[in-house]
Amino acid sequence: MYAYSDFDESFVRDRVRQFRDQVARRIDGRLTEDEFKPLRLMNGLYLQLHAYMLRVAIPYGTLDARQMRQLAAISERWDRGYGHFTTRQNIQFNWPKLRDVPDMLDALADVGMHAIQTSGNCVRNVTSDHFAGAAADEIADPRPYAELLRQWSSDHPEFQYLPRKFKIAITGATADRAVTRAHDIGLRVVARDGAVGFQVSVGGGLGRTPMIGRVIRDFLPEADLVPYIEAVLGVYNQLGRRDNKYKARIKIAVHEMGLDTIRDLVEARFAETRAEFPGAGAALADIRTAFRAPGFRAGGTAIPSGSPAFRAWADTNLSDHRREDHAIVIVSLKTPGQQPGDASADQMRVIADLAETYGYDEIRISHRQNVILPHVRKDDLPAVFEALAAAGLAAANAGLISDIIACPGMDYCALATARSIPVAQEIAVLFETLDLAHEVGPLRLNVSGCINACGHHHVADIGILGLERAGVETYQITLGGDPTDRIAIGERTGPGFAAGEIVGAVERIVMAYLERRDGPAEGFADAYRRLGLAPFQKALYSEGSKEDAA
């Protein structure tokens, strides 16, 4: 993985010193909150519902054991002993005191981490496939390209004050595990005539106006990546609306002006940026050396036998590695009843130990708020499972209905209009109690606590959006969303449900699916495409449906 250069070290330390002075001036009253706000946001510090929140960047979701241990130590010393992993592959600390934040940033810098550009109207963390560098279907490791874009975009003088925040995702595999077309720019590595390049989409995004990104370039040569992305950002910086933040994203410009017009403007700007670009070949070659494959230890190609609990975990929480003697391990942070995406300091240390002992010191964070050990020998899987089980991290539910994405909601977020975490907990516990999760099979259920859609509810099989109606929490349901190559925005089912009704509503949807699916092999997404919305609406809203579910 990438390690700080001397420039990185100097740059980050200077930013911390600068922010330390700004914090001191805020505490003693020389800065008002209005004056301080843009300064703290530039350093990843939010003022949430009850306290400050520090969002720490985990570039393209990659970190090592030393960094994970430092996150654990920070959570214990300056927070409440846990961290919350997000859909942007970052980590959030929800309870820091303002006076402590500079010390937290210094501690992050000690292990090559920071919180720069995790907030504000700039290029946010470039996210990537959480199986990057390990997946069996990978064309090329996308992380060197993500790192190149991180270096290019960090403190870019033209793009620090964009009309709105800007998000980029990249995948290097044939399957899209990075939800690329739900981003302002989506990049998919493709091969053409022996050359590696990118399919580029623009104008994706969720929030109050969900849109699917549209392909603006079928094939962009690798050498043109930076000048082309700079051209897209330059056009957006000029066109994006600054008079209305709800219409400021690039997706609105693409929708209102049309893809062809945007493409023409980008190509014209690209002709200029490409001519001025010195090239990134040498820089990319240096970056790639930091992402060399580890020295794999050979082992058996079969998953060892074990207890029923181990076998259940292996069935759900392992994915194919490009080596037959290794597996990708998904560490679920979704034990039913727990807060989705949270890990305690002790759990972070267990993950760090396992990565160091069995995983070649590599860890990934997924946009589904889980942790990935990308390289584990199959021979070592029983030992890994036992350690995870002892730490409460062996929930055998990756990809199942209790593997729920949930934003912090009204328990933490000042923007939220409804709670997300209790809803997710109650749904997960219900299906654990009914012992139905494995019978249902793969099913994505996501919960957002407001229209900003941080829980990605639009692209879930079952999406739940919490809203406030006349002072009462109400939950809308969407069905048929899909974050994969077949990306789709879910359809709203109809009127919302009260907080006390939403869990029963989800149960009715799932039971309707089980009754109507064409056998266990037909997943929810395929069944929904075949059946359409009507039978699920009937199950939700027909007379007596609530009484039947009670």
Side-chain angles (χ1 to χ4, degrees):
M1 59 180 287
Y2 178 78
Y4 269 13
S5 66
D6 290 341
F7 172 82
D8 294 319
E9 174 72 19
S10 175
F11 173 74
V12 171
R13 295 292 185 182
D14 284 345
R15 284 288 291 265
V16 175
R17 282 191 290 270
Q18 182 186 65
F19 191 55
R20 188 179 294 278
D21 177 66
Q22 292 163 350
V23 168
R25 286 187 285 143
R26 173 68 188 108
I27 290 173
D28 68 20
R30 284 177 289 164
L31 286 176
T32 67
E33 173 54 30
D34 286 343
E35 292 168 331
F36 182 57
K37 181 178 179 179
L39 304 175
R40 62 172 169 78
L41 290 177
M42 290 178 69
N43 291 279
L45 187 64
Y46 288 75
L47 185 56
Q48 294 283 69
L49 193 61
H50 307 293
Y52 284 101
M53 178 272 282
L54 181 65
R55 180 181 293 151
V56 177
I58 303 177
Y60 34 89
T62 295
L63 69 166
D64 60 20
R66 182 177 68 126
Q67 292 172 326
M68 184 67 94
R69 289 194 186 98
Q70 188 75 324
L71 295 176
I74 288 170
S75 76
E76 284 185 326
R77 182 172 180 183
W78 293 297
D79 206 86
R80 294 189 177 180
Y82 74 96
H84 176 73
F85 292 99
T86 77
T87 55
R88 195 117 212 102
Q89 298 179 308
N90 293 322
I91 187 171
Q92 295 180 177
F93 296 112
N94 289 316
W95 301 99
K97 293 180 173 60
L98 179 57
R99 66 174 181 269
D100 293 331
V101 173
D103 291 335
M104 297 171 74
L105 295 176
D106 260 332
L108 289 169
D110 289 342
V111 294
M113 300 183 76
H114 60 77
I116 298 167
Q117 291 186 202
T118 60
S119 179
N121 294 332
C122 57
V123 178
R124 298 289 185 90
N125 187 31
V126 178
T127 55
S128 181
D129 181 358
H130 43 271
F131 294 165
D137 64 336
E138 191 168 81
I139 299 168
D141 189 337
R143 293 175 301 156
Y145 304 115
E147 172 59 27
L148 181 66
L149 292 176
R150 185 198 69 81
Q151 294 185 17
W152 161 80
S153 65
S154 293
D155 211 30
H156 194 296
E158 187 178 351
F159 304 137
Q160 290 304 295
Y161 297 96
L162 294 167
R164 198 72 172 88
K165 58 188 175 181
F166 201 92
K167 298 179 178 180
I168 301 172
I170 180 169
T171 182
T174 56
D176 186 358
R177 288 179 289 268
V179 205
T180 58
R181 291 181 66 193
H183 285 74
D184 297 291
I185 292 178
L187 299 168
R188 298 191 67 175
V189 174
V190 292
R192 178 178 292 182
D193 300 327
V196 171
F198 307 92
Q199 182 193 78
V200 185
S201 62
V202 298
L206 302 179
R208 68 174 58 221
T209 312
M211 293 185 181
I212 296 171
R214 300 173 66 186
V215 175
I216 193 171
R217 266 279 192 133
D218 283 320
F219 186 83
L220 177 73
E222 176 186 275
D224 292 335
L225 177 61
V226 171
Y228 191 83
I229 300 301
E230 182 159 321
V232 175
L233 264 293
V235 168
Y236 166 61
N237 202 20
Q238 291 180 318
L239 295 179
R241 293 181 58 174
R242 288 179 164 85
D243 64 321
N244 185 336
K245 71 176 184 178
Y246 302 118
K247 296 184 178 181
R249 301 291 288 269
I250 192 174
K251 62 187 177 183
I252 302 300
V254 173
H255 175 72
E256 291 182 345
M257 300 184 67
L259 182 64
D260 291 340
T261 297
I262 298 295
R263 182 186 289 113
D264 290 344
L265 292 169
V266 169
E267 290 295 336
R269 179 69 181 264
F270 175 52
E272 299 172 2
T273 57
R274 188 184 192 189
E276 298 168 353
F277 185 59
L284 187 57
D286 287 343
I287 290 170
R288 279 198 173 106
T289 63
F291 294 93
R292 288 191 298 261
F296 290 114
R297 301 183 296 273
T301 59
I303 295 174
S305 58
S307 66
F310 170 76
R311 292 196 300 272
W313 174 81
D315 286 343
T316 55
N317 290 47
L318 302 181
S319 188
D320 291 338
H321 194 278
R322 57 192 175 90
R323 286 178 59 103
E324 290 188 356
D325 56 355
H326 281 63
I328 300 170
V329 173
I330 302 169
V331 181
S332 173
L333 299 183
K334 314 290 180 53
T335 298
Q338 302 301 307
Q339 294 194 158
D342 284 6
S344 70
D346 287 342
Q347 289 175 328
M348 285 189 259
R349 291 191 184 95
V350 168
I351 292 169
D353 291 346
L354 290 174
E356 213 165 49
T357 304
Y358 301 109
Y360 307 93
D361 200 17
E362 291 197 30
I363 301 167
R364 310 272 194 274
I365 306 303
S366 80
H367 78 272
R368 291 204 60 83
Q369 301 175 288
N370 290 320
V371 178
I372 311 299
L373 298 175
H375 314 293
V376 177
R377 287 196 323 158
K378 289 181 177 176
D379 290 346
D380 294 327
L381 289 173
V384 169
F385 170 76
E386 292 300 329
L388 291 174
L393 290 169
N397 64 346
L400 302 184
I401 194 168
S402 58
D403 182 11
I404 299 171
I405 291 178
C407 73
M410 210 162 60
D411 288 302
Y412 297 96
C413 181
L415 300 176
T417 50
R419 293 168 297 168
S420 301
I421 292 170
V423 172
Q425 291 172 312
E426 289 172 26
I427 292 171
V429 168
L430 170 68
F431 285 94
E432 178 80 359
T433 302
L434 296 176
D435 197 22
L436 277 177
H438 287 82
E439 181 181 346
V440 172
L443 192 153
R444 302 177 185 89
L445 194 152
N446 300 357
V447 187
S448 295
C450 78
I451 56 175
N452 289 299
C454 294
H456 294 187
H457 67 277
H458 293 296
V459 290
D461 294 311
I462 302 174
I464 299 174
L465 168 61
L467 298 169
E468 182 268 331
R469 291 281 187 264
V472 176
E473 291 172 85
T474 301
Y475 295 88
Q476 293 179 355
I477 295 176
T478 55
L479 297 178
D482 194 330
T484 70
D485 317 66
R486 306 188 300 178
I487 188 164
I489 301 298
E491 299 177 89
R492 183 178 166 185
T493 59
F497 296 85
E501 300 172 335
I502 185 62
V503 176
V506 170
E507 182 180 2
R508 294 196 296 279
I509 291 169
V510 172
M511 298 311 293
Y513 158 64
L514 290 176
E515 291 169 7
R516 292 167 174 80
R517 68 181 179 182
D518 190 16
E522 185 177 43
F524 186 93
D526 290 329
Y528 186 82
R529 281 181 167 84
R530 177 175 61 83
L531 295 166
L533 181 60
F536 298 100
Q537 284 180 316
K538 183 178 180 181
L540 278 172
Y541 301 109
S542 62
E543 185 177 352
S545 60
K546 294 179 184 179
E547 290 80 0
D548 292 342

